[in-house]
Amino acid sequence: MSDSLNTRNFIALDAVDPTSTQNSEAIFVQQMLYASAQITSGTANPNGTLKIYGSNENGINSPGLGTPSLTYWAELSSLSATAVGQGLAISDIAYKWIKLTWTDNASTAGNITVRMTIKGW
Amino acid sequence: MSNSFNTKTGAKAVTLVDAAKNPQYTDPIYAENMLTVSGSVEATLTVGQQLTGAIYLQGSNELGNETPGIGTTTVTNWVGIGSTLISGTAGVVIYSLSTTDFAYRWLRFGYVPDAAASGGIEGHLRFTIKGW
């Protein structure tokens, strides 16, 4: 824990194919309260659903060293996205891990990149 | 980051009457460490002036400038977080928009005048952002 706000801005889905289902890695958020995800660039015209899920599985004992493989996820928020630039945000995150998923509806060929910001203490 | 409360205020002069409805935005404001933001459009109207328009708050997770505060930042894609319509006919007018759960890296406020506005009104868009 820290006395000042901890933040992180990073790429969650890096130039991925929006015509296929995409999943980010599990993101450790046990000390985070806010998260946002935005399609910040891409060559495709995205048309699908961006979702944020949360999990309370233990995952790995040392978050940051290795990638956990988690099975059970609860849906926290959803956005029907039809263009680069769209995004969603959540607050009061109460889970240990979150992940981002993209499910295609009618995207064109190409790629999209989704960046996230998370904030907490 | 710091152990004390961080706050920042700023202002942008805005033209509150524009038949072409051209939007006016603040520069991108680095807000990764900020949670609470508010923006107000303020003007003093005389008799015969009419103000109508909308104030917007937007956020972005684009990387922008890797060293915010040094150099100019260009951010292309913005997510709408909130908006409010404003209108007034005479006297001191102030309309505000705020959020307490700002989750993006950059923010900007915008004002879009409505064609119904009249009277050559000048005003300001002022903001305050707070975090740690």
Side-chain angles (χ1 to χ4, degrees):
Chain A
M1 288 188 294
S2 121
D3 291 333
S4 54
L5 194 66
N6 282 324
T7 68
R8 185 179 162 209
N9 175 269
F10 58 97
I11 295 174
L13 297 175
D14 191 1
V16 298
D17 176 8
T19 65
S20 303
T21 297
Q22 303 290 343
N23 291 280
S24 73
E25 293 184 345
I27 301 155
F28 182 63
V29 292
Q30 187 165 316
Q31 279 151 287
M32 299 298 183
L33 291 174
Y34 308 90
S36 61
Q38 182 191 19
I39 306 172
T40 51
S41 63
T43 60
N45 287 325
N47 184 327
T49 305
L50 198 59
K51 292 190 178 185
I52 299 177
Y53 289 85
S55 177
N56 277 336
E57 289 189 68
N58 186 51
I60 54 178
N61 288 329
S62 303
L65 301 174
T67 304
S69 177
L70 308 179
T71 304
Y72 301 101
W73 294 95
E75 183 176 328
L76 303 181
S77 187
S78 178
L79 170 74
S80 293
T82 56
V84 171
Q86 294 178 347
L88 74 166
I90 59 174
S91 59
D92 300 328
I93 299 173
Y95 290 85
K96 179 170 181 173
W97 305 91
I98 62 173
K99 73 168 182 178
L100 194 65
T101 70
W102 169 264
T103 305
D104 181 48
N105 179 32
S107 302
T108 63
N111 62 63
I112 59 170
T113 293
V114 181
R115 294 191 71 100
M116 295 189 71
T117 296
I118 56 177
K119 305 182 183 184
W121 275 266
Chain B
M1 291 186 290
S2 89
N3 291 334
S4 56
F5 205 38
N6 282 325
T7 66
K8 179 180 178 182
T9 63
K12 176 182 173 63
V14 289
T15 299
L16 298 175
V17 176
D18 182 358
K21 303 185 183 181
N22 291 310
Q24 299 162 71
Y25 293 104
T26 63
D27 289 336
I29 301 162
Y30 181 65
E32 188 166 315
N33 285 60
M34 300 299 184
L35 293 175
T36 303
V37 307
S38 68
S40 332
V41 169
E42 306 164 356
T44 301
L45 278 60
T46 58
V47 174
Q49 293 183 324
Q50 178 177 344
L51 174 63
T52 59
I55 180 172
Y56 294 88
L57 169 61
Q58 300 175 324
S60 179
N61 276 340
E62 289 188 11
L63 183 64
N65 190 332
E66 289 193 32
T67 51
I70 302 174
T72 305
T73 299
T74 299
V75 175
T76 303
N77 295 298
W78 294 93
V79 178
I81 296 173
S83 66
T84 189
L85 299 177
I86 68 176
S87 66
T89 53
V92 175
V93 174
I94 175 169
Y95 285 89
S96 296
L97 183 62
S98 65
T99 183
T100 57
D101 296 320
F102 187 76
Y104 291 85
R105 178 174 165 93
W106 300 95
L107 74 84
R108 71 176 183 180
F109 282 99
Y111 174 74
V112 181
D114 187 86
S118 62
I121 309 164
E122 299 296 325
H124 286 89
L125 192 160
R126 301 187 193 279
F127 63 85
T128 296
I129 57 177
K130 306 180 183 182
W132 277 263

